[in-house]
Amino acid sequence: MTTSKPTLHSIAGSRSFRVLWLLCELGVDVDLVDYQITDGSLQQDGFKALSPARRVPALEIDGITLVESGAMVQYLCETRADHSLMPAVGNEERAEWLQWLHYAETLGTGIQNLNMQHLFLPDPAMRSIPVMGIETKRLAIALKALEARLADGRAYLLASGFSAADVMMGFTVWAAAHYVDFAAFPNLTAYQDRLAARAAYQQAQALEGVQQFYTRDFYALPEV
Amino acid sequence: MKITLHHAHEARSMRVLWLLEELGLPYELQVYDFFDKSLRSDSYLALHPAGRVPAVEIDGQVMLESGAIVEYLAERCADMGLGRAPQSDERMAYLDLLHYGETLGQHLANLTQAHIVLYEPWMRSPTQMGLETKRLAKVLGRLEQLLSDGRDYLLASGFSAADVAVGYGIWLAPRFVHLDALPHVAAYRARLITRPAFAKALPPEGARRIYTQAFYEVPNV
């Protein structure tokens, strides 16, 4: 297996942040290729050859291209040495780690749906206010479960400490705060601050540049 | 392993049910009605705070997230050969496709919500429904490309847990997207649904189903 420098195709503020942040946590150098959501760069043939569904992130690594951030996170943990970001197969925290990793994407889906309604449907008549309401409520319920998990005073999702599940979740929590008020979630707020204070998180932010999604800190549901 | 699966017919928990059958593991099944409030009962919410299926109890530990459960069961039953171990050449493709199951699944969930859960036309956004349908077709397009070399399953070496993660969505997809332009996907679907373990994951005769129409057309704007 070759371990040449990977190339990450990314949009600032998208799920690709998870992968970039993890690469920074692992100290792996990466070539970054930036795309914009609205300039058609995702529709170019060269990108379609890499990611047939034309989505970011796409990661070229060890001679193959991956298109799922969760798979990239798992693969990097399995193949890059000298870290404690993943409980190995058979470890007692393995099931929990896998669950949080996938749960981050359950939240990610809700955020993606809210992004579509709030950011990408330009005409209010195109939106469905019931869908926006349901998605916001679901996201709040999913965050409440996280708040409950953190209520025992643990610093990270796993009792044993920081792991790649936090990298998956950290991006999601950052994005979710644009749609759900965190006032009722003190543990989650502290968790988010703890993640954002990590050197690798800040390094990834600097590498990625200005996020392209949100022009406001908070998007309230439209008045009916 | 002592396993209890909390399941609703035709929901994502079908993945876990199907995999349990493929693995030949014994399990207890608790079936909930997707449309009544049984997933909102206090006892169920204690198990799954968001009131969704699946939840699975494995030797007393509760796991949510069908993708995580599928990965975990394949790891625990490594000798059954449905996972691909970290040292396998197919590990990257296995992980990528396993997670891709939910990239496919989320569009189906959004379309299910729009067509079936939001029963009043004013509640829906035909624009969103149109976009979700297009995105679903694109996601299937990648699989069409992958399968076009004539392989029977997603991985060249044969059937795996990734086929279970993705296969649930493949089974469901033709209710929202015509597969005429995706012949390899259609053939793959036919191959999956004739597996005996898959048939055991389907609702029994007479059970209330989520999907009652053969095809859900996007309403005209």
Side-chain angles (χ1 to χ4, degrees):
Chain A
M1 187 187 288
T2 56
T3 49
S4 57
K5 197 173 175 185
T7 301
L8 177 64
H9 300 263
S10 103
I11 288 178
S14 79
R15 291 175 175 92
S16 38
F17 182 74
R18 290 171 174 156
V19 183
L20 187 57
W21 176 14
L22 183 66
L23 288 162
C24 291
E25 290 282 353
L26 291 167
V28 174
D29 272 344
V30 61
D31 285 320
L32 209 56
V33 184
D34 281 325
Y35 296 80
Q36 310 280 323
I37 305 167
T38 49
D39 71 352
S41 52
L42 293 175
Q43 307 304 323
Q44 287 165 7
D45 290 346
F47 186 69
K48 196 188 169 190
L50 280 174
S51 175
R54 279 164 274 184
R55 300 198 188 178
V56 292
L59 181 69
E60 295 178 80
I61 186 165
D62 302 342
I64 190 174
T65 304
L66 299 173
V67 298
E68 289 289 331
S69 62
M72 295 170 200
V73 165
Q74 279 194 263
Y75 179 74
L76 285 167
C77 287
E78 289 174 3
T79 56
R80 270 53 183 177
D82 300 327
H83 63 81
S84 54
L85 297 173
M86 176 186 76
V89 175
N91 183 292
E92 59 175 22
E93 286 188 317
R94 178 75 179 177
E96 208 186 340
W97 185 81
L98 285 173
Q99 176 182 287
W100 289 123
L101 196 88
H102 286 264
Y103 192 75
E105 215 15 54
T106 286
L107 272 82
T109 299
I111 291 160
Q112 180 173 300
N113 292 339
L114 286 165
N115 285 347
M116 182 196 275
Q117 297 274 345
H118 282 276
L119 310 178
F120 300 123
L121 297 182
D123 178 351
M126 291 175 165
R127 299 173 179 163
S128 160
I129 293 183
V131 168
M132 296 166 90
I134 290 170
E135 293 291 348
T136 305
K137 201 170 160 191
R138 275 203 188 143
L139 189 57
I141 290 171
L143 292 168
K144 202 173 149 192
L146 268 185
E147 175 72 13
R149 190 75 205 96
L150 296 164
D152 65 3
R154 63 182 63 202
Y156 298 107
L157 293 174
L158 297 184
S160 62
F162 183 76
S163 76
D166 297 301
V167 174
M168 282 294 286
M169 197 69 84
F171 161 74
T172 312
V173 168
W174 167 78
H178 293 86
Y179 297 117
V180 174
D181 184 357
F182 275 31
F185 303 139
N187 296 308
L188 201 51
T189 305
Y191 171 67
Q192 193 187 358
D193 292 345
R194 205 171 296 132
L195 296 176
R198 293 183 70 87
Y201 184 101
Q202 290 171 10
Q203 190 190 348
Q205 262 190 330
L207 283 171
E208 185 186 55
V210 180
Q211 61 87 10
Q212 294 182 30
F213 288 79
Y214 308 107
T215 54
R216 283 185 251 153
D217 290 338
F218 192 76
Y219 293 80
L221 284 175
E223 302 279 335
V224 187
Chain B
M1 264 187 283
K2 185 180 183 312
I3 299 172
T4 304
L5 171 62
H6 300 265
H7 170 62
H9 294 310
E10 300 189 321
R12 283 180 178 89
S13 49
M14 247 181 93
R15 288 181 178 135
V16 182
L17 183 53
W18 178 11
L19 184 66
L20 288 168
E21 288 290 343
E22 292 282 357
L23 292 169
L25 289 172
Y27 57 88
E28 192 187 312
L29 195 63
Q30 297 273 355
V31 180
Y32 299 78
D33 187 313
F34 185 78
F35 294 101
D36 72 15
K37 297 287 178 203
S38 55
L39 292 172
R40 298 286 178 274
S41 71
D42 289 344
S43 60
Y44 191 71
L45 290 175
L47 212 55
H48 195 314
R52 301 192 198 182
V53 286
V56 64
E57 297 169 74
I58 304 174
D59 296 330
Q61 182 177 19
V62 179
M63 272 189 93
L64 318 177
E65 293 293 328
S66 62
I69 298 164
V70 165
E71 264 197 73
Y72 183 70
L73 288 174
E75 283 178 3
R76 285 287 300 264
C77 304
D79 54 339
M80 294 296 292
L82 295 186
R84 296 295 182 269
Q87 57 277 12
S88 154
D89 289 346
E90 287 185 318
R91 179 66 174 174
M92 279 192 272
Y94 171 72
L95 290 176
D96 207 42
L97 289 161
L98 201 119
H99 286 270
Y100 201 68
E102 248 325 279
T103 286
L104 180 59
Q106 60 170 294
H107 297 306
L108 291 161
N110 290 339
L111 287 165
T112 300
Q113 175 172 282
H115 283 279
I116 297 167
V117 181
L118 302 179
Y119 45 88
E120 296 281 1
W122 68 265
M123 294 176 157
R124 301 169 175 162
S125 158
T127 309
Q128 178 223 1
M129 293 162 87
L131 284 170
E132 290 289 347
T133 305
K134 268 193 202 149
R135 300 186 88 185
L136 174 61
K138 260 195 210 176
V139 169
L140 292 169
R142 178 202 177 199
L143 298 174
E144 178 68 18
Q145 203 176 313
L146 179 72
L147 293 161
S148 64
D149 64 2
R151 62 183 67 194
D152 284 343
Y153 294 106
L154 297 177
L155 299 178
S157 62
F159 186 77
S160 74
D163 292 299
V164 174
V166 169
Y168 165 67
I170 296 290
W171 167 69
L172 207 45
R175 294 188 194 266
F176 300 103
V177 169
H178 294 293
L179 298 186
D180 310 345
L182 303 164
H184 294 96
V185 169
Y188 171 58
R189 182 177 183 276
R191 209 169 291 131
L192 291 174
I193 66 176
T194 49
R195 293 181 71 87
F198 177 86
K200 289 184 184 153
L202 288 170
E205 198 72 31
R208 180 136 77 140
R209 292 165 170 259
I210 299 174
Y211 303 99
T212 54
Q213 292 181 32
F215 193 78
Y216 293 87
E217 201 80 55
V218 175
N220 287 322
V221 186

